[in-house]
Protein backbone atom coordinates (compact mmCIF):
# COMPACT_ATOMS: atom_id res chain seq x y z
CA UNK A 1 0.00 0.00 0.00
CA UNK A 2 1.65 3.33 -1.04
CA UNK A 3 2.49 5.85 1.67
CA UNK A 4 0.35 8.90 1.90
CA UNK A 5 1.81 12.33 1.30
CA UNK A 6 1.50 13.14 5.01
CA UNK A 7 3.47 10.03 6.05
CA UNK A 8 6.20 10.74 3.49
CA UNK A 9 6.48 14.29 4.84
CA UNK A 10 6.82 13.02 8.41
CA UNK A 11 9.53 10.56 7.34
CA UNK A 12 11.47 13.34 5.61
CA UNK A 13 11.15 15.56 8.68
CA UNK A 14 12.36 12.74 10.93
CA UNK A 15 15.38 12.09 8.70
CA UNK A 16 16.25 15.81 8.66
CA UNK A 17 15.97 16.01 12.44
CA UNK A 18 18.16 12.93 12.85
CA UNK A 19 20.77 14.44 10.51
CA UNK A 20 20.71 17.72 12.44
CA UNK A 21 21.06 15.86 15.73
CA UNK A 22 23.98 13.82 14.37
CA UNK A 23 25.63 16.99 13.06
CA UNK A 24 25.18 18.63 16.45
CA UNK A 25 26.75 15.66 18.26
CA UNK A 26 29.62 15.55 15.76
CA UNK A 27 30.21 19.29 16.16
CA UNK A 28 30.20 18.96 19.95
CA UNK A 29 32.83 16.20 19.92
CA UNK A 30 34.86 18.07 17.28
CA UNK A 31 34.91 21.17 19.49
CA UNK A 32 35.77 19.10 22.56
CA UNK A 33 38.69 17.52 20.69
CA UNK A 34 41.92 19.18 21.86
CA UNK A 35 44.20 21.00 19.46
CA UNK A 36 47.46 19.27 18.52
CA UNK A 37 50.27 19.78 21.05
CA UNK A 38 51.58 23.34 20.94
CA UNK A 39 55.13 21.92 20.85
CA UNK A 40 55.88 19.26 18.25
CA UNK A 41 59.08 17.40 17.42
CA UNK A 42 60.86 18.74 14.34
CA UNK A 43 63.09 16.10 12.69
CA UNK A 44 66.73 17.09 12.49
CA UNK A 45 66.39 20.01 14.90
CA UNK A 46 67.64 19.79 18.51
CA UNK A 47 64.75 19.87 20.96
CA UNK A 48 64.82 21.15 24.50
CA UNK A 49 64.21 18.76 27.35
CA UNK A 50 61.84 19.08 30.31
CA UNK A 51 61.59 22.40 32.16
CA UNK A 52 65.04 23.22 33.54
CA UNK A 53 65.51 23.92 37.21
CA UNK A 54 65.81 27.69 36.74
CA UNK A 55 62.08 27.82 35.99
CA UNK A 56 61.32 26.32 39.39
CA UNK A 57 63.53 28.98 40.99
CA UNK A 58 61.50 31.88 39.62
CA UNK A 59 59.13 33.48 42.16
CA UNK A 60 55.83 31.62 42.00
CA UNK A 61 53.65 34.74 42.05
CA UNK A 62 54.83 36.11 38.67
CA UNK A 63 51.94 36.48 36.19
CA UNK A 64 54.30 36.29 33.20
CA UNK A 65 57.05 33.70 32.75
CA UNK A 66 59.38 33.27 29.77
CA UNK A 67 62.33 31.07 28.88
CA UNK A 68 64.99 30.82 26.17
CA UNK A 69 67.44 27.98 25.61
CA UNK A 70 70.15 30.04 23.94
CA UNK A 71 72.59 27.14 23.90
CA UNK A 72 70.12 25.05 21.91
CA UNK A 73 69.34 27.83 19.45
CA UNK A 74 73.00 28.69 19.05
CA UNK A 75 73.47 25.39 17.20
CA UNK A 76 71.69 27.19 14.34
CA UNK A 77 74.49 29.74 14.27
CA UNK A 78 74.63 30.00 10.47
CA UNK A 79 70.88 30.33 9.98
CA UNK A 80 68.92 33.58 9.62
CA UNK A 81 66.95 32.49 12.68
CA UNK A 82 69.98 32.73 14.98
CA UNK A 83 70.73 36.21 13.65
CA UNK A 84 67.11 37.32 14.10
CA UNK A 85 67.11 36.17 17.73
CA UNK A 86 70.39 38.02 18.37
CA UNK A 87 72.30 34.80 19.00
CA UNK A 88 74.81 35.27 16.21
CA UNK A 89 77.96 37.25 16.85
CA UNK A 90 77.20 41.00 16.81
CA UNK A 91 80.31 41.54 14.68
CA UNK A 92 82.06 44.83 14.07
CA UNK A 93 78.78 46.72 13.67
CA UNK A 94 77.92 46.25 17.36
CA UNK A 95 77.19 49.58 19.00
CA UNK A 96 79.85 51.20 21.13
CA UNK A 97 77.99 50.90 24.47
CA UNK A 98 77.60 47.16 24.06
CA UNK A 99 81.22 46.76 22.94
CA UNK A 100 82.30 48.64 26.09
CA UNK A 101 80.05 46.39 28.20
CA UNK A 102 81.60 43.23 26.72
CA UNK A 103 85.09 44.60 27.21
CA UNK A 104 84.37 45.63 30.80
CA UNK A 105 82.51 42.50 31.99
CA UNK A 106 83.91 39.80 29.74
CA UNK A 107 80.31 38.68 29.04
CA UNK A 108 78.85 38.49 25.52
CA UNK A 109 75.36 37.02 25.40
CA UNK A 110 75.88 35.74 21.84
CA UNK A 111 78.70 33.56 23.18
CA UNK A 112 78.30 33.11 26.94
CA UNK A 113 74.56 32.82 27.63
CA UNK A 114 73.19 29.25 27.84
CA UNK A 115 69.71 29.56 29.37
CA UNK A 116 67.58 32.38 30.77
CA UNK A 117 64.27 32.34 32.63
CA UNK A 118 62.28 35.54 33.15
CA UNK A 119 59.56 36.49 35.63
CA UNK A 120 57.67 39.71 34.95
CA UNK A 121 55.21 41.73 37.04
CA UNK A 122 53.88 44.43 34.66
CA UNK A 123 52.24 47.34 36.46
CA UNK A 124 51.56 49.72 33.58
CA UNK A 125 52.82 50.65 30.14
CA UNK A 126 53.74 54.27 30.81
CA UNK A 127 57.07 55.85 29.92
CA UNK A 128 57.61 58.07 32.96
CA UNK A 129 60.45 57.18 35.38
CA UNK A 130 57.89 56.18 38.01
CA UNK A 131 56.05 53.93 35.55
CA UNK A 132 59.24 52.27 34.35
CA UNK A 133 60.41 51.48 37.88
CA UNK A 134 56.97 50.08 38.79
CA UNK A 135 57.36 47.29 36.21
CA UNK A 136 59.32 44.61 38.01
CA UNK A 137 61.28 41.85 36.28
CA UNK A 138 63.62 39.13 37.42
CA UNK A 139 65.96 37.07 35.22
CA UNK A 140 67.92 33.95 36.12
CA UNK A 141 70.66 33.22 33.61
CA UNK A 142 73.03 30.29 33.20
CA UNK A 143 76.29 30.80 31.35
CA UNK A 144 79.89 31.81 31.72
CA UNK A 145 80.41 34.82 34.00
CA UNK A 146 83.56 36.49 35.23
CA UNK A 147 82.35 37.53 38.68
CA UNK A 148 85.34 39.71 39.41
CA UNK A 149 85.13 41.66 36.16
CA UNK A 150 81.35 42.12 36.49
CA UNK A 151 81.71 43.31 40.09
CA UNK A 152 84.47 45.72 39.10
CA UNK A 153 82.34 47.01 36.22
CA UNK A 154 79.49 47.88 38.59
CA UNK A 155 81.69 49.07 41.47
CA UNK A 156 81.51 52.86 41.12
CA UNK A 157 77.80 53.42 41.74
CA UNK A 158 76.49 50.09 43.02
CA UNK A 159 75.53 49.44 46.63
CA UNK A 160 75.96 46.06 48.31
CA UNK A 161 72.91 45.31 50.42
CA UNK A 162 72.62 43.00 53.38
CA UNK A 163 70.24 42.76 56.25
CA UNK A 164 67.62 40.58 57.93
CA UNK A 165 65.84 39.86 54.64
CA UNK A 166 68.98 39.82 52.53
CA UNK A 167 71.36 37.10 53.75
CA UNK A 168 73.27 37.23 50.46
CA UNK A 169 75.27 40.05 48.92
CA UNK A 170 72.97 41.68 46.37
CA UNK A 171 74.39 44.51 44.31
CA UNK A 172 72.04 47.43 43.61
CA UNK A 173 72.80 49.81 40.73
CA UNK A 174 70.75 53.04 40.97
CA UNK A 175 69.07 54.16 37.79
CA UNK A 176 65.78 54.04 35.99
CA UNK A 177 64.93 51.31 36.44
CA UNK A 178 66.96 50.28 39.48
CA UNK A 179 68.99 47.14 38.74
CA UNK A 180 69.85 44.53 41.39
CA UNK A 181 71.86 41.36 40.94
CA UNK A 182 73.56 38.54 42.77
CA UNK A 183 75.53 35.44 41.83
CA UNK A 184 73.77 32.22 42.80
CA UNK A 185 76.72 30.09 41.67
CA UNK A 186 79.82 30.53 39.49
CA UNK A 187 77.66 29.81 36.41
CA UNK A 188 74.33 31.37 37.46
CA UNK A 189 73.31 34.98 38.03
CA UNK A 190 70.01 36.54 39.10
CA UNK A 191 69.24 40.02 37.77
CA UNK A 192 66.25 42.11 38.85
CA UNK A 193 64.84 45.48 37.82
CA UNK A 194 62.23 47.68 39.43
CA UNK A 195 61.38 48.52 43.03
CA UNK A 196 64.60 48.12 44.99
CA UNK A 197 63.33 46.77 48.32
CA UNK A 198 60.90 44.31 46.75
CA UNK A 199 63.36 42.94 44.23
CA UNK A 200 66.21 42.63 46.74
CA UNK A 201 63.80 40.69 48.95
CA UNK A 202 62.98 38.38 46.03
CA UNK A 203 66.69 37.86 45.36
CA UNK A 204 67.17 36.96 49.02
CA UNK A 205 64.30 34.46 48.84
CA UNK A 206 65.96 32.84 45.84
CA UNK A 207 69.29 32.65 47.65
CA UNK A 208 67.72 30.65 50.50
CA UNK A 209 65.60 28.62 48.05
CA UNK A 210 62.29 30.10 49.17
CA UNK A 211 60.42 30.14 45.85
CA UNK A 212 56.79 29.61 46.79
CA UNK A 213 54.32 27.32 45.03
CA UNK A 214 53.08 28.16 41.54
CA UNK A 215 49.35 27.63 40.97
CA UNK A 216 48.48 24.42 39.15
CA UNK A 217 46.95 26.09 36.07
CA UNK A 218 50.08 28.17 35.44
CA UNK A 219 52.33 25.15 36.00
CA UNK A 220 50.24 23.08 33.58
CA UNK A 221 50.64 25.72 30.86
CA UNK A 222 54.41 25.79 31.40
CA UNK A 223 54.53 22.00 31.11
CA UNK A 224 52.74 22.16 27.74
CA UNK A 225 55.44 24.37 26.20
CA UNK A 226 58.46 23.13 28.14
CA UNK A 227 59.80 21.23 25.14
CA UNK A 228 60.27 24.45 23.14
CA UNK A 229 63.58 26.33 23.29
CA UNK A 230 61.67 29.61 23.38
CA UNK A 231 58.36 30.16 25.20
CA UNK A 232 56.28 32.50 27.35
CA UNK A 233 53.17 32.07 29.51
CA UNK A 234 50.96 34.86 30.88
CA UNK A 235 47.95 35.07 33.18
CA UNK A 236 45.84 37.96 31.97
CA UNK A 237 43.89 38.44 35.21
CA UNK A 238 46.99 40.00 36.77
CA UNK A 239 48.06 42.19 33.87
CA UNK A 240 47.57 45.98 34.05
CA UNK A 241 44.06 47.14 33.26
CA UNK A 242 45.59 49.84 31.06
CA UNK A 243 46.09 47.27 28.29
CA UNK A 244 42.34 47.46 27.64
CA UNK A 245 42.25 51.27 27.52
CA UNK A 246 42.43 51.50 23.68
CA UNK A 247 39.26 49.37 23.50
CA UNK A 248 37.07 51.47 25.81
CA UNK A 249 35.22 52.96 22.84
CA UNK A 250 34.33 49.49 21.56
CA UNK A 251 32.62 47.57 24.39
CA UNK A 252 32.22 44.39 22.32
CA UNK A 253 35.91 44.23 21.43
CA UNK A 254 36.85 44.98 25.04
CA UNK A 255 34.57 42.21 26.26
CA UNK A 256 36.20 39.71 23.88
CA UNK A 257 39.69 40.84 24.90
CA UNK A 258 38.83 40.52 28.60
CA UNK A 259 37.52 37.00 28.01
CA UNK A 260 41.08 35.81 27.33
CA UNK A 261 42.28 34.28 30.59
CA UNK A 262 45.75 33.11 29.58
CA UNK A 263 48.19 33.37 26.68
CA UNK A 264 50.79 30.73 25.87
CA UNK A 265 53.47 31.18 23.22
CA UNK A 266 56.04 28.71 21.90
CA UNK A 267 58.79 29.24 19.33
CA UNK A 268 60.50 26.31 17.64
CA UNK A 269 63.15 26.26 14.93
CA UNK A 270 62.13 24.31 11.85
CA UNK A 271 65.31 24.15 9.78
CA UNK A 272 65.91 27.79 8.86
CA UNK A 273 62.38 28.81 9.82
CA UNK A 274 60.88 29.78 13.17
CA UNK A 275 57.50 28.26 13.93
CA UNK A 276 55.61 30.47 16.39
CA UNK A 277 52.42 29.22 18.01
CA UNK A 278 50.22 31.30 20.30
CA UNK A 279 47.25 29.93 22.25
CA UNK A 280 44.65 32.26 23.76
CA UNK A 281 42.44 30.58 26.37
CA UNK A 282 38.98 32.17 26.59
CA UNK A 283 36.43 31.86 29.37
CA UNK A 284 33.74 30.38 27.08
CA UNK A 285 33.25 28.69 23.71
CA UNK A 286 31.14 31.64 22.53
CA UNK A 287 33.94 34.13 23.19
CA UNK A 288 36.50 31.83 21.56
CA UNK A 289 34.37 31.68 18.39
CA UNK A 290 34.01 35.47 18.40
CA UNK A 291 37.76 35.96 18.90
CA UNK A 292 38.61 33.58 16.06
CA UNK A 293 36.11 35.36 13.78
CA UNK A 294 37.55 38.74 14.75
CA UNK A 295 41.09 37.59 13.93
CA UNK A 296 40.03 36.12 10.58
CA UNK A 297 38.23 39.36 9.78
CA UNK A 298 41.38 41.27 10.67
CA UNK A 299 43.39 39.09 8.28
CA UNK A 300 40.93 39.77 5.46
CA UNK A 301 40.94 43.51 6.18
CA UNK A 302 44.73 43.56 6.23
CA UNK A 303 44.92 41.71 2.93
CA UNK A 304 42.44 44.11 1.35
CA UNK A 305 44.39 47.11 2.67
CA UNK A 306 47.63 45.77 1.19
CA UNK A 307 45.96 45.31 -2.18
CA UNK A 308 45.13 49.03 -2.27
CA UNK A 309 47.75 50.87 -4.41
CA UNK A 310 47.54 53.88 -2.09
CA UNK A 311 48.59 51.71 0.86
CA UNK A 312 51.47 50.21 -1.11
CA UNK A 313 52.78 53.63 -2.03
CA UNK A 314 53.14 54.46 1.67
CA UNK A 315 55.46 51.47 2.24
CA UNK A 316 58.86 50.39 1.12
CA UNK A 317 58.96 47.18 -0.96
CA UNK A 318 60.53 45.39 2.01
CA UNK A 319 57.76 46.49 4.39
CA UNK A 320 55.10 45.39 1.92
CA UNK A 321 56.74 41.98 1.40
CA UNK A 322 57.03 41.42 5.14
CA UNK A 323 53.41 42.35 5.93
CA UNK A 324 52.06 40.35 2.99
CA UNK A 325 53.96 37.24 4.10
CA UNK A 326 52.89 37.80 7.71
CA UNK A 327 49.20 37.91 6.78
CA UNK A 328 49.35 35.07 4.27
CA UNK A 329 51.30 32.68 6.50
CA UNK A 330 49.33 33.21 9.70
CA UNK A 331 46.71 30.51 10.34
CA UNK A 332 43.92 30.75 12.91
CA UNK A 333 42.16 27.76 14.49
CA UNK A 334 40.00 27.26 17.52
CA UNK A 335 38.86 24.26 19.51
CA UNK A 336 36.55 24.53 22.47
CA UNK A 337 37.75 27.61 24.42
CA UNK A 338 41.19 27.91 22.82
CA UNK A 339 42.09 30.07 19.82
CA UNK A 340 45.43 29.27 18.18
CA UNK A 341 47.50 31.46 15.87
CA UNK A 342 50.34 29.72 14.03
CA UNK A 343 52.99 31.49 11.99
CA UNK A 344 55.98 30.07 10.13
CA UNK A 345 58.60 32.83 9.92
CA UNK A 346 60.95 32.27 6.98
CA UNK A 347 64.38 33.74 6.16
CA UNK A 348 62.74 35.77 3.38
CA UNK A 349 60.41 37.35 5.92
CA UNK A 350 63.33 38.14 8.21
CA UNK A 351 65.21 39.70 5.31
CA UNK A 352 62.18 41.85 4.47
CA UNK A 353 61.53 42.90 8.08
CA UNK A 354 62.21 46.60 8.79
CA UNK A 355 65.82 46.91 10.01
CA UNK A 356 66.56 48.47 13.42
CA UNK A 357 67.32 52.16 13.45
CA UNK A 358 71.03 52.93 13.12
CA UNK A 359 72.76 53.46 16.42
CA UNK A 360 70.07 51.68 18.46
CA UNK A 361 71.57 50.21 21.60
CA UNK A 362 71.13 46.66 22.79
CA UNK A 363 70.14 48.03 26.16
CA UNK A 364 68.43 51.41 25.99
CA UNK A 365 69.86 54.00 28.28
CA UNK A 366 67.71 55.68 30.89
CA UNK A 367 67.85 59.37 31.73
CA UNK A 368 68.73 58.85 35.37
CA UNK A 369 71.23 56.04 35.00
CA UNK A 370 74.93 56.63 34.47
CA UNK A 371 76.33 55.41 31.16
CA UNK A 372 77.31 51.72 31.12
CA UNK A 373 81.03 52.45 31.23
CA UNK A 374 80.51 54.31 34.52
CA UNK A 375 78.54 51.51 36.12
CA UNK A 376 80.34 50.49 38.59
CA UNK A 377 81.22 49.50 42.89
CA UNK A 378 79.86 49.98 45.84
CA UNK A 379 79.65 51.33 49.30
CA UNK A 380 79.34 48.82 52.10
Amino acid sequence: MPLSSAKRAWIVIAIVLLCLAAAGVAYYFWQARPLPPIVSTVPGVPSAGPPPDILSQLPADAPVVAYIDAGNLRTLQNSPLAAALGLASPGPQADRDYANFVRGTGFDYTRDLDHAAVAFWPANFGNSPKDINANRALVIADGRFDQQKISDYTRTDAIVTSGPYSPSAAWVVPGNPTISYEFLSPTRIALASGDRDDMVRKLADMYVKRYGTRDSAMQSRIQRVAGAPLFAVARTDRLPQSIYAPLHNSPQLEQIARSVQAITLAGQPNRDNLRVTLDAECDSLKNAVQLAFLLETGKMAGSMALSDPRTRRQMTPEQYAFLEALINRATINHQNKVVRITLEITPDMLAAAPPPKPGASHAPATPHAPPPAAYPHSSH
Side-chain angles (χ1 to χ4, degrees), residues 82-102 107-111 356-366 372:
L85 295 175
L87 296 173
S89 172
Q93 74 279 10
D95 64 79
R96 184 166 52 187
D97 283 346
Y98 184 69
N100 289 338
F101 171 82
V102 173
F107 177 80
D108 181 352
Y109 71 92
T110 68
R111 177 193 65 210
K357 295 180 179 179
S361 297
H362 287 76
T366 55

Side-chain angles (χ1 to χ4, degrees), residues 139-340:
V139 180
I140 306 174
D142 284 340
R144 286 154 296 285
F145 308 103
D146 188 324
Q147 295 191 28
Q148 187 60 53
K149 290 189 73 171
I150 292 174
S151 297
D152 289 343
Y153 185 74
T154 59
R155 188 175 301 277
T156 301
D157 294 293
I159 301 168
V160 178
T161 62
S162 61
Y165 60 79
S166 181
S168 63
W171 294 71
V172 178
V173 183
N176 186 37
T178 300
I179 302 296
S180 310
Y181 73 90
E182 69 178 352
F183 290 99
L184 302 176
S185 76
T187 59
R188 177 167 291 180
I189 189 173
L191 183 73
S193 70
D195 180 83
R196 165 182 163 167
D197 291 341
D198 181 59
M199 299 315 292
V200 168
R201 189 174 292 109
K202 288 186 182 300
L203 290 175
D205 286 343
M206 291 173 54
Y207 189 83
V208 297
K209 305 185 186 307
R210 188 167 52 230
Y211 312 126
T213 303
R214 187 174 287 120
D215 73 84
S216 58
M218 189 74 167
Q219 186 62 29
S220 175
R221 295 181 185 108
I222 292 174
Q223 292 287 346
R224 289 204 298 270
V225 293
L230 179 68
F231 67 78
V233 178
R235 287 180 49 179
T236 59
D237 61 331
R238 295 174 60 187
L239 296 181
Q241 292 300 300
S242 58
I243 64 174
Y244 303 108
L247 302 177
H248 285 344
N249 293 329
S250 180
Q252 185 177 11
L253 291 180
E254 183 175 356
Q255 184 268 324
I256 294 174
R258 287 182 179 276
S259 76
V260 177
Q261 298 181 315
I263 296 173
T264 306
L265 180 144
Q268 279 186 286
N270 182 10
R271 305 301 180 182
D272 283 345
N273 298 345
L274 177 64
R275 180 182 301 163
V276 179
T277 306
L278 184 147
D279 282 358
E281 301 175 35
C282 297
D283 58 7
S284 70
L285 173 60
K286 174 186 174 183
N287 286 326
V289 171
Q290 290 181 334
L291 177 59
F293 177 77
L294 180 66
L295 293 172
E296 288 285 6
T297 303
K299 272 190 64 179
M300 292 176 57
S303 181
M304 292 173 62
L306 288 178
S307 65
D308 187 338
R310 291 172 297 182
T311 302
R312 298 184 64 166
R313 284 196 294 269
Q314 297 174 13
M315 300 180 181
T316 65
E318 292 77 15
Q319 290 172 335
Y320 174 80
F322 175 76
L323 290 175
E324 183 183 42
L326 191 68
I327 291 173
N328 291 339
R329 288 184 169 274
T331 61
I332 299 166
N333 299 287
H334 82 90
Q335 292 287 349
N336 205 354
K337 300 178 182 180
V338 179
V339 177
R340 173 170 293 179

Side-chain angles (χ1 to χ4, degrees), residues 75-87:
T75 62
L76 307 171
Q77 188 78 302
N78 295 323
S79 77
L81 172 59
L85 295 175
L87 296 173

